[in-house]
Amino acid sequence: MQWVLDPVGYMHAHHRRYGDIFQTGLSWGSSNAFVMVSDPKAVQYLLTHDTGSEFSAPGEVNERLAPFFGRQNLMLLSGADHQRRRPLIMPAFHGDRLHVYGQLIHKICSTAIAQWPLHQPLNVRSLMADITQEIILQVVFGPHQGERYAQLAQLIRIILERTSAPSAAAIILFPWLQNDFGPWSPGHRLLQVIAKIDKLVFAEIQERRANPDPERTDILSLLMMAQDEDGKGLSDQALRDELLTLLVAGHDTTATTLTWAMYWIYSLPHVQQHLLKALETISDATNPAEYLKLPYLTAVCNETLRIYPATISTFLRRVEVPLELCGYLLEPGLWVTGCIYLIHQRKDLYPQPDQFKPERFLEKPFSPYEFMPFGGGVRRCVGAALAQYELKIILGTILTQVRLVLLNKHPVYPGRRAVNLGPQKTIRVQRIA
Ligand code: HEM
């Protein structure tokens, strides 16, 4: 119950008692007692040996997410199937595509800001979710208009809101609640929303199959053209599962991180001042590439991802052969996760870890296993580069275009948001100029 209601308290208490490696009594999918590791060297070992010989990264362990995302997507695929799918998705998030997304992010953000009213309390999470959702919809489906997209956006928001409150998170953590126990059961209502989403997504796929357009560069078009070595393309079901995964994974974590960033920037005047000064050095505020070059803005984004990472830990890896980790013998079949939150709270790496200090990232470099908001190894987040683009460009655009004040009078701490972490209280701002 503590893990469900107070995951941060749970992790600190166990770390204090047992140190950098401990076995939890927590179950997730086929694992009923996984091990949490927060020693960077051990996590480096875990994530550089997770291709199958020492550790594996089976997707079936994420079975609890199947009612939402289906089984034919990156998060639930395993082994060779997973290896074949990643190269189909990765190009959509790298190289020239990111440059195009930079323009898109700036445009969507500026359009949203123009509608923020003056002198009224504004819910930061809703503002950020509106922006990140529109971005991921356009990245996945391309430029779009019309009723189908408006409905899709609304339904995805309903799913996220229904599963994000600590009590509602129970629906993911206790999978039997996903069953349909009648019209008023949470499982019934969730399944209804998913059925509506499926209808819209399958209609879009059918329409595109009927009218193929080789000029399109959105993810759905790229996935529809992709073929494996045998010349076989993805089925409608696989396309739907992958799209839904990207739509949800691709905006909730980013919206949470942006919400925290806004909280820190507007609660710490020296951080805000420093950022505004850095932004003054930009020659063209309409060119998103300029925001990416500001070291202090990057440091603020990194510190936001460090102090309260949206994702508590990596996906589970399974031990395949007897091996030693942090002085303990691990038997085959045991499940292990790298605990991102606890690594980021280490006092030896980050003195005063509960303090927001972007300077840390300007003073010394951290290894990919000391600072690892996007995990690592064979399942490292495919959207990491896009997410970092979004953070910098959205924050830079907001700070350049409007003046805001934070309305929260008390400190805000992290709490459970579905399987992730997010602010425990609603963060509100008011636009003053
Ligand atoms: C601040 C934002 C984000 C954070 C903190 C985050 C974090 C993570 C983490 C920790 C993992 C697991 C890595 C592991 O097990 O080693 C992951 C996986 C994943 N992320 Fe992200 N993510 C973010 C944004 C995104 C975006 C924007 C997308 C897509 C557009 C995305 C799509 C995915 C997918 C599909 C996986 C599964 C990869 C696989 O199993 O091969 N994420 N993410």
Side-chain angles (χ1 to χ4, degrees), residues 24 56 171 184 199 205 223 239 300 307 329 331 351 368 417:
T24 69
S56 60
I171 205 161
W184 297 106
K199 218 169 142 194
I205 294 172
L223 286 179
L239 285 171
V300 167
I307 189 164
L329 182 67
E331 295 292 345
R417 184 174 168 83

Side-chain angles (χ1 to χ4, degrees), residues 47 50 62 73-77 82 86 89 93 136 139-140 219 242 245-247 249-255 257-258 305 309-317 340 372-384 386-388 390-391:
L47 297 179
D50 66 346
N62 294 324
N73 64 67
L74 269 185
M75 279 200 265
L76 275 98
L77 288 174
H82 179 249
R86 276 186 70 104
I89 310 268
F93 292 107
I136 196 67
V139 165
V140 167
I219 293 185
E242 208 59 85
T245 305
L246 294 174
L247 286 176
H251 99 269
D252 195 58
T253 40
T254 318
T257 309
L258 277 165
L305 286 160
T311 317
I312 299 173
S313 62
T314 67
F315 289 131
L316 298 185
R317 284 8 183 218
I340 299 170
M372 45 171 292
F374 299 102
V378 296
R379 288 198 179 272
R380 186 174 191 273
C381 176
V382 289
L386 172 67
Q388 290 172 91
E390 287 186 68
L391 296 180

Side-chain angles (χ1 to χ4, degrees), residues 289-355:
E290 300 257 335
Y291 299 128
L292 305 173
K293 292 188 212 141
L294 299 175
Y296 191 71
L297 179 56
T298 303
V300 167
C301 296
N302 286 349
E303 181 65 348
T304 304
L305 286 160
R306 178 202 67 84
I307 189 164
Y308 300 141
T311 317
I312 299 173
S313 62
T314 67
F315 289 131
L316 298 185
R317 284 8 183 218
R318 190 175 58 208
V319 179
E320 294 298 328
V321 289
L323 51 84
E324 201 190 300
L325 206 67
C326 296
Y328 287 85
L329 182 67
L330 307 189
E331 295 292 345
L334 196 64
W335 294 87
V336 185
T337 177
C339 185
I340 299 170
Y341 175 81
L342 284 177
I343 292 176
H344 287 186
Q345 289 292 317
R346 290 182 70 95
K347 291 194 177 87
D348 56 347
L349 293 173
Y350 305 103
Q352 297 179 296
D354 55 347
Q355 305 277 306

Side-chain angles (χ1 to χ4, degrees), residues 68-69 197-198 201 240-249:
F68 308 95
F69 304 129
I197 293 181
D198 283 356
V201 172
R240 172 269 181 208
D241 291 358
E242 208 59 85
L243 294 184
L244 221 67
T245 305
L246 294 174
L247 286 176
V248 176

Side-chain angles (χ1 to χ4, degrees), residues 24-39:
T24 69
L26 306 170
S27 70
W28 175 254
S30 34
S31 98
N32 53 13
F34 59 82
V35 170
M36 268 193 184
V37 186
S38 55
D39 170 64

